[in-house]
Amino acid sequence: MEESDRYKVLPVEGYTPGIGVVVRMMDLVRSRTLRAVEGLTTEQIDYLHDTESNSIGALLAHMAAVEVVHSIRSFEDRAPTADEWERLKTPLGLGEAARREIRGKLLEYYLDELTAVRERTKAQLRTKDDAWLLEERDYVDGQRANNYYIWFHVPEDETNHRGQISWLRKRLSA
Amino acid sequence: MEESDRYKVLPVEGYTPGIGVVVRMMDLVRSRTLRAVEGLTTEQIDYLHDTESNSIGALLAHMAAVEVVHSIRSFEDRAPTADEWERLKTPLGLGEAARREIRGKLLEYYLDELTAVRERTKAQLRTKDDAWLLEERDYVDGQRANNYYIWFHVPEDETNHRGQISWLRKRLSA
């Protein structure tokens, strides 16, 4: 994407048009997430604002886990297995377990995970077409979701937590 | 939208297909914003977590102001006038002026403004077509934005601040 296209939503090449627009929105959201955490140290990533707060690292791990669980629903049309839930439950659930377990890592650890998950997502999306966006999957609350919703929601949830990351970053004591 | 379509992105009727999908995304984002602030009192809306914090009310006023300024760019293809900036600068800029001036109102005051702005947006969008989404406008930093970007960004910015509202809501002392 050219610098002059920074404020343009255009279908990304290599995908069908509707999927290309979704990918563009995901890329835009990600670029802002990366800017929001640029240069943070491990101490800053682990900062807990209060006893109920999530760290920036936990929020980054959450973003990757949300994309993994939605990928399983969308691309494999199934619920996560018990093993997958076990691996995902802490970053998905955040809170006390995440405060205890998700810490001590460099920023690159979280960014590498986000990038690896996103590359797998994009590889899958390149094999789909716009009609696939309307296919439905079992989702939460006994409801059905279509693939369009799933890939709208992944960057939506990321944006929601990026707002919290920006808030926390302004209050880092370090 | 039926309850069974809660997790589906489908083009909203009354718009061309691409615009209908954008409107659906805006509606989904808005429904979550409304849920995030449901039942808050004036005292809760005005709560300031620390000396740098924005209140929930200021963030709601910001969402409406962001949509107004983007509507002017998108639908009127111009920058806001001096009078418009004067009226918008406090909710757009947030910070000290917003802490001083945006307070003492009921939740309904903010929700009515959000609804009024959104109704004007939708009335305009009903007159446009998908080719219009690719038309470009002058935007920030001397850059051009297309209408697709503008109407992606409005709910993106809302989502970012909704994440902050949810964070603040969990810490209300009242």
Side-chain angles (χ1 to χ4, degrees):
Chain A
M1 191 69 56
E2 302 283 325
E3 172 61 19
S4 61
D5 286 340
R6 185 167 159 199
Y7 298 115
K8 292 167 197 164
V9 168
L10 298 165
V12 178
E13 286 183 29
Y15 306 86
T16 56
I19 293 179
V21 163
V22 169
V23 169
R24 173 65 177 144
M25 292 178 176
M26 292 169 73
D27 284 348
L28 280 163
V29 165
R30 177 58 50 83
S31 71
R32 283 143 202 210
T33 300
L34 296 179
R35 204 166 54 205
V37 299
E38 198 172 10
L40 292 179
T41 65
T42 297
E43 187 185 2
Q44 292 173 319
I45 288 167
D46 289 350
Y47 169 72
L48 294 172
H49 186 73
D50 58 31
T51 58
E52 297 297 309
S53 194
N54 295 300
S55 69
I56 290 173
L59 293 171
L60 292 172
H62 178 78
M63 291 171 182
V66 165
E67 185 160 338
V68 169
V69 76
H70 282 78
S71 294
I72 292 168
R73 294 280 189 192
S74 178
F75 300 130
E76 304 186 38
D77 195 8
R78 62 174 177 86
T81 62
D83 278 357
E84 286 166 339
W85 274 125
E86 187 58 32
R87 194 166 52 81
L88 292 166
K89 69 180 183 187
T90 300
L92 280 180
L94 294 169
E96 185 51 38
R99 276 188 288 278
R100 198 172 50 238
E101 296 170 28
I102 304 176
R103 50 186 295 114
K105 301 282 204 301
L106 291 171
L107 176 60
E108 286 64 34
Y109 171 86
Y110 300 100
L111 299 188
D112 286 351
E113 173 70 5
L114 281 166
T115 300
V117 172
R118 179 56 52 89
E119 283 176 1
R120 293 198 294 273
T121 297
K122 288 184 169 179
Q124 286 285 340
L125 289 174
R126 276 191 284 272
T127 71
K128 311 300 181 191
D129 62 22
D130 287 3
W132 174 87
L133 287 173
L134 303 181
E135 286 182 20
E136 297 182 8
R137 306 289 185 248
D138 285 337
Y139 197 56
V140 298
D141 306 333
Q143 299 266 6
R144 302 274 284 173
N146 65 20
N147 288 312
Y148 222 151
Y149 177 88
I150 288 173
W151 297 107
F152 152 78
H153 179 61
V154 168
E156 185 209 13
D157 194 68
E158 178 172 335
T159 302
N160 178 74
H161 293 298
R162 191 231 300 148
Q164 297 169 341
I165 287 176
S166 301
W167 197 95
L168 290 166
R169 182 170 190 152
K170 286 188 191 151
R171 286 155 180 86
L172 292 171
S173 41
Chain B
M1 191 70 56
E2 303 283 326
E3 173 60 21
S4 61
D5 287 340
R6 186 167 159 199
Y7 298 115
K8 292 167 197 164
V9 168
L10 298 165
V12 178
E13 286 182 29
Y15 306 86
T16 56
I19 293 179
V21 163
V22 169
V23 169
R24 173 66 177 144
M25 293 178 177
M26 292 169 72
D27 285 347
L28 280 163
V29 165
R30 178 56 50 82
S31 70
R32 282 142 202 210
T33 301
L34 296 179
R35 204 166 54 205
V37 299
E38 197 172 9
L40 291 178
T41 65
T42 297
E43 187 185 2
Q44 292 173 319
I45 289 167
D46 289 349
Y47 169 72
L48 294 172
H49 186 73
D50 58 31
T51 57
E52 298 296 310
S53 194
N54 295 300
S55 69
I56 291 174
L59 294 171
L60 291 172
H62 178 79
M63 291 170 181
V66 165
E67 185 161 338
V68 169
V69 75
H70 282 79
S71 293
I72 292 168
R73 294 281 188 192
S74 179
F75 300 130
E76 304 185 38
D77 196 8
R78 62 173 177 86
T81 63
D83 277 358
E84 286 166 339
W85 273 125
E86 187 59 32
R87 193 167 53 80
L88 292 167
K89 70 179 181 188
T90 300
L92 280 180
L94 293 169
E96 184 51 38
R99 276 188 288 278
R100 198 171 52 238
E101 296 170 28
I102 304 177
R103 51 186 294 113
K105 301 282 205 298
L106 291 171
L107 177 60
E108 287 64 33
Y109 171 86
Y110 301 100
L111 299 189
D112 287 351
E113 173 70 4
L114 281 165
T115 301
V117 172
R118 179 56 51 88
E119 283 177 2
R120 292 198 295 273
T121 296
K122 287 183 170 179
Q124 286 284 339
L125 289 175
R126 276 192 285 272
T127 70
K128 311 300 182 191
D129 61 23
D130 287 3
W132 174 87
L133 287 174
L134 303 181
E135 285 182 21
E136 297 181 8
R137 306 290 184 246
D138 285 338
Y139 197 56
V140 298
D141 307 332
Q143 299 267 6
R144 301 275 283 173
N146 66 20
N147 287 312
Y148 221 152
Y149 176 88
I150 287 173
W151 297 107
F152 152 78
H153 179 61
V154 168
E156 185 208 14
D157 194 67
E158 178 171 335
T159 302
N160 178 74
H161 292 299
R162 191 231 301 149
Q164 297 169 340
I165 287 176
S166 301
W167 196 96
L168 290 166
R169 182 170 190 151
K170 285 188 192 151
R171 286 157 180 85
L172 293 172
S173 40

